[in-house]
Amino acid sequence: KAIKRNKKIVALTAYTAPIAKIADDFADILLVGDSLGMVLYGMDSTLTVTVEMMILHGRAVVKNSKHALVAVDMPFGSYQPSASTAFKNASKIMAQTGAGAVKLEGGAEIKETVKFLCQNGIPVMAHIGMKPQHFNTYGGFKFRGKDKEEFDNILEDAKALEEAGAFAIVVEGTTRNLGKRITDKVRIPTIGIGASPDCDGQILVTEDLVGMSAAEKAPKFVKQYTNVTEVMADALAEFAADVREGRFPTKEFCYD
């Protein structure tokens, strides 16, 4: 079973080979998130992402990383029907990608499914708080833990998932106090995203933090460290100008 450690955990998303190669040098965990539906495919939500999509991207990330633990999201509908359905899809993802774990969104309602997976050789990372696959029931992507009932329910979710055998919990989009309380109450590591600096680690979508997100506005919790979009736009503009003015290709870029 996982235990806390003094050093903060660094986690990043990775959906492609180029990003995996770069991020692997800095991250303890690479998450192949179903957020790839929105980030790479321009979908409105994660709900139409399939197991097959996760396998293709998961395989690319595993093949191009050497150090980080690679966890792959189980998409909407792939684990909710039953524990046996969850195992069938999780084992398929693990076998065909080589990933080290899967991640499931949900709280106490999926406790038995998480327990079944863990007992049958599938390491599980849990995901509570603001759960993107549940955005329809929330009325949008809204932060969680604003009132006492919601606060207490999410805290109970964390305890239930720890008891079920999850080795870590992603805590997304909660009040800072709730993120801290969860971290204090469970023995397994918490990884925050829009939660609390008191979590045992942090994760962001890589494309968000480097300024490559297709979203018009990044979430409040995203710190943008650079703007790769501007760098790429400058390079593409220079290329286009060189082609149109006949400056490219020159002799050095041609075969004799």
Side-chain angles (χ1 to χ4, degrees), residues 24-43:
D24 186 58
D25 286 336
F26 307 100
D28 302 302
I29 298 172
L30 292 178
L31 174 65
V32 187
D34 59 357
S35 50
L36 63 84
M38 302 172 75
V39 177
L40 297 185
Y41 293 91
M43 297 173 179

Side-chain angles (χ1 to χ4, degrees), residues 13-16 19 31-61 71-75 93 97 103 105 132-133 205-208 212-214:
T13 61
Y15 317 122
T16 63
I19 294 296
L31 174 65
V32 187
D34 59 357
S35 50
L36 63 84
M38 302 172 75
V39 177
L40 297 185
Y41 293 91
M43 297 173 179
D44 293 329
S45 74
T46 63
L47 301 188
T48 52
V49 173
T50 65
V51 170
E52 288 69 28
M53 290 169 67
M54 298 309 302
I55 288 173
L56 287 173
H57 288 277
R59 188 180 296 153
V61 172
V72 178
D73 265 348
M74 294 194 67
I93 289 170
T97 65
K103 181 169 76 64
E105 289 184 20
Q133 292 179 9
V205 171
T206 300
E207 283 78 0
D208 284 345
M212 285 185 68
S213 175

Side-chain angles (χ1 to χ4, degrees), residues 69-89:
L69 167 68
V70 177
V72 178
D73 265 348
M74 294 194 67
F76 182 71
S78 67
Y79 59 94
Q80 289 90 345
S82 67
S84 60
T85 298
F87 179 78
K88 177 182 177 181
N89 287 316

